Amino acid sequence: MGRVFASGGGAAAVVLGVGLMAGCYEGRNGDSAYADDSPEDQDEGEAPALECDAIGGQPLRRLSSTQYEQILLDLLPDGFAQQAVAASSFPRTVIDGGFSTYASANRVSTNASMRIEDNAEAIAELFLANAREIAPVLVPCLPTDYTPSDVDACVGEFVEAFGERAFRRPLTEAEQEIVLRLYDEVARADGANTGLAAVLQYFLQAPALLYVVERAGTGGELYVPLSPHELATRLALLFTNSAPDDELLAAVEEGRLRTREDVEREARRLVAAPEAVRAFAQFHHEWMHGFTLESARREHPAWTDTTSLALQEELGRFAAWFLAETDGSFHTLMTTQAFPADDRLALIYEADGDVPRVGLLTTAAAMAAHAHDRSTSLIERAVFIRRHVLCMDPPPFPGELDTETALEGYGELPTARERLEPLMVEPSCSGCHVAINPFGYPFEVYDWAGAYRTTENGAPIDTSAELSFGSLRGTFADAPELVSAIAQTDEAHDCYATHWFRYAMGRPESPDDVCSLDAVTEAFAASGGDVRELLVTIAVSDAFRFRKVGGEP
């Protein structure tokens, strides 16, 4: 791919190095590769005080691919932004445990670094291909019939304004000097439009855009409040999956984003804004492991390309509907029967008849996400319910076991429950499976595409389950009855709140987060399980508003 700028050296060479520098950005938060990467912008006056004794260390996070694309959509003019996203080769976030917000899901390999650089270059080339129309919209100080001298005259204003939006903070003098020198050298050699393209390319692959760098507080304290710009970035990424909006930036500029009350005010505004649907959709899609459907193939009569796409979108659609059309309570999320099915999934849902689906958990997408190509996975679903819905870790795996021998002679039985029954009675297996398998029995009525069924291989499916774990105790006839019971447990409420905390922080909780997380779960319970209140409570927690100097423990 050809460069849109001269790359023989000097300022233009800076752009070549930015993408490669990204690969170095895996250190602790605050140990930036740029000496001036994040200037201090703490307000004068008494600093906010930490209410907890400790908070967990925060790793340096790169934006997820979804966040990067949303920032492009908000940074660039509409039509150009759509083109840029459509042509994006930004490395896709691969979730391997946790959420797409995790630092561990967004590591930068050499290949990824090259793709980041190529992506920025491709967007710069898109700009050049239609610069006369795009430039006056991208650079507001340019007239529609601009000349090169017009660009020279207002490029400084553009760099300052665009850079602040891209970096989510004002540029340092050193950064402005680098970018303006880059423009001057490229424009002198190849023209003003190419100079603007080089500037755009610089910003779209700069580590200060790609990473959530937090460097506030270096005065010897172990725990320090985030700067207003850092708070604005955390709030924006949590609620909108993007950079701070105009109102957040105004709050920073006017000194109105510093205290706990300031953060709560902005959190309440953002959770009520239309853009909050982004966070709700992303979280619930990932919590239910909807990302596994992106590459899924199911040998099923109802499975088509259209069905596959609809299933990939269903969990996000459910979350958007839940946010807009319900009371926003956890109980409703788990038990509602009012969610309208997508017409594209008619072949899957037509088998339901008058049998109700309840909540997010029994959607076709949630069930299909935990299945194989030609069969369900009773144990996988059971582990998911226990671990991800109730936060009850299964018993530890005892080591090497000869499960094939234990299951010998049972493989031809018609139902999964019958085929796996030996694991419930064989002494070497039962210690784990008695605590796992019953969680999966009620969900066997949903096949590997998420369609309802009453039989497997011609035999009736027994959906009853007897459970005695935590506050979940009793015999449950089917999935709706079990899910309704789960929705009322403290374990499920606390687990849901914990997952949102992990999503918001971009990391698992640590022992130092006990105080902050306890405050979050207690406030969630006190609100009656109001999910909007949960997000506000996370935003005002110590873990969200402060950082541990030095990053990770």
Side-chain angles (χ1 to χ4, degrees):
M1 184 178 291
R3 300 288 167 189
V4 299
F5 50 80
S7 58
V14 172
V15 180
L16 288 171
V18 169
L20 297 177
M21 282 176 62
C24 300
Y25 264 61
E26 295 187 20
R28 295 178 300 174
N29 206 352
D31 299 333
S32 169
Y34 274 169
D36 295 319
D37 192 43
S38 184
E40 300 301 321
D41 61 353
Q42 289 283 22
D43 291 351
E44 294 180 1
E46 185 178 352
L50 194 74
E51 296 178 2
C52 293
D53 292 333
I55 57 173
Q58 193 67 22
L60 182 66
R61 291 186 285 164
R62 180 171 67 81
L63 299 177
S64 71
S65 53
T66 302
Q67 290 169 338
Y68 181 82
E69 289 179 0
Q70 186 58 55
I71 285 176
L72 287 186
L73 291 171
D74 291 340
L75 266 180
L76 304 176
D78 288 344
F80 178 43
Q82 296 292 342
Q83 284 184 302
V85 169
S88 177
S89 59
F90 194 83
R92 304 303 302 174
T93 296
V94 177
I95 304 172
D96 184 16
F99 294 96
S100 63
T101 55
Y102 275 29
S104 58
N106 292 287
R107 301 294 187 190
V108 178
S109 64
T110 300
N111 178 264
S113 180
M114 293 174 65
R115 290 178 63 188
I116 289 170
E117 185 178 351
D118 288 346
N119 176 72
E121 182 183 336
I123 295 172
E125 289 178 343
L126 281 173
F127 167 81
L128 267 182
N130 203 18
R132 294 298 308 181
E133 286 71 32
I134 298 172
V137 187
L138 178 67
V139 186
C141 53
L142 285 180
T144 55
D145 57 347
Y146 70 92
T147 65
S149 61
D150 291 326
V151 181
D152 292 344
C154 79
V155 68
E157 180 181 334
F158 167 67
V159 165
E160 183 177 355
F162 187 84
E164 181 169 0
R165 297 299 295 262
F167 287 5
R168 305 175 294 278
R169 58 162 176 80
L171 271 65
T172 65
E173 290 183 9
E175 287 167 339
Q176 291 189 52
E177 182 181 346
I178 287 172
V179 182
L180 292 175
R181 192 168 75 245
L182 169 65
Y183 169 79
D184 287 342
E185 292 196 10
V186 175
R188 188 165 53 248
D190 299 308
N193 285 340
T194 307
L196 281 178
V199 168
L200 183 62
Q201 182 174 338
Y202 170 89
F203 280 122
L204 296 185
Q205 64 182 357
L209 181 149
L210 297 174
Y211 288 84
V212 184
V213 180
E214 296 169 343
R215 301 184 64 214
T218 55
E221 297 292 330
L222 181 58
Y223 303 108
V224 296
L226 295 179
S227 74
H229 279 102
E230 291 166 357
L231 281 172
T233 293
R234 281 201 184 185
L235 285 166
L237 289 176
L238 170 58
F239 288 101
T240 72
N241 254 1
S242 190
D245 63 8
D246 290 340
E247 292 185 60
L248 271 175
L249 292 176
V252 172
E253 183 68 24
E254 296 164 11
R256 295 184 290 106
L257 193 59
R258 182 173 176 274
T259 67
R260 186 185 190 279
E261 291 73 24
D262 290 339
V263 173
E264 181 176 351
R265 182 195 66 245
E266 291 303 317
R268 292 194 182 282
R269 176 181 69 82
L270 289 167
V271 80
E275 292 80 9
V277 71
R278 300 171 189 165
F280 274 76
Q282 192 81 21
F283 170 83
H284 291 96
H285 175 76
E286 294 177 8
W287 179 43
M288 290 287 108
H289 290 185
F291 50 82
T292 64
L293 296 170
E294 294 169 11
S295 59
R297 295 291 180 270
R298 298 286 186 266
E299 295 186 26
H300 192 282
W303 191 271
T304 65
D305 289 344
T306 299
T307 301
S308 173
L309 180 60
L311 285 172
Q312 292 175 49
E313 297 172 352
E314 186 179 35
L315 296 167
R317 284 187 61 253
F318 187 107
W321 171 84
F322 165 74
L323 183 63
E325 302 295 337
T326 79
D327 62 359
S329 72
F330 177 71
H331 188 267
T332 297
L333 177 76
M334 296 293 283
T335 63
T336 181
Q337 297 178 21
F339 176 59
D342 190 324
D343 290 342
R344 295 173 296 172
L345 297 175
L347 288 176
I348 287 181
Y349 282 112
E350 67 181 4
D352 287 8
D354 295 328
V355 179
R357 300 259 181 164
V358 291
L360 184 71
L361 199 54
T362 63
T363 56
M367 290 292 94
H370 300 279
H372 301 309
D373 288 350
R374 300 178 60 186
S375 66
T376 61
S377 180
L378 187 155
I379 293 174
E380 181 182 337
R381 285 176 177 172
V383 169
F384 177 80
I385 299 299
R386 181 174 170 130
R387 175 177 285 155
H388 287 273
V389 180
L390 291 163
C391 288
M392 296 180 181
D393 282 333
F397 189 68
E400 291 188 13
L401 292 175
D402 187 4
T403 54
E404 289 187 11
T405 299
L407 296 174
E408 196 172 81
Y410 285 77
E412 299 304 317
L413 293 177
T415 69
R417 181 171 186 156
E418 292 171 302
R419 293 191 295 272
L420 296 172
E421 182 61 24
L423 301 181
M424 299 289 288
V425 294
E426 169 63 40
S428 61
C429 304
S430 61
C432 287
H433 286 277
V434 165
I436 295 173
N437 292 23
F439 285 96
Y441 294 156
F443 301 95
E444 276 296 292
V445 289
Y446 305 107
D447 68 17
W448 49 99
Y452 181 77
R453 60 183 183 169
T454 58
T455 64
E456 182 181 4
N457 296 317
I461 296 172
D462 180 1
T463 59
S464 65
E466 186 174 348
L467 295 165
S468 182
F469 301 95
S471 59
L472 191 65
R473 297 175 180 274
T475 300
F476 306 95
D478 52 27
E481 190 172 304
L482 175 57
V483 172
S484 296
I486 287 173
Q488 298 179 53
T489 64
D490 291 341
E491 289 89 345
H493 280 75
D494 290 353
C495 188
Y496 180 76
T498 298
H499 281 299
W500 262 114
F501 180 88
R502 293 167 179 171
Y503 176 87
M505 301 306 301
R507 60 175 175 82
E509 70 279 13
S510 78
D512 285 340
D513 290 311
V514 169
C515 172
S516 289
L517 189 52
D518 281 351
V520 166
T521 55
E522 289 168 9
F524 184 44
S527 75
D530 187 310
V531 178
R532 294 177 181 86
E533 283 297 313
L534 170 60
L535 268 67
V536 172
T537 302
I538 291 172
V540 299
S541 69
D542 279 359
F544 193 90
R545 295 185 299 114
F546 292 77
R547 79 175 185 92
K548 183 177 183 180
V549 175
E552 294 177 277

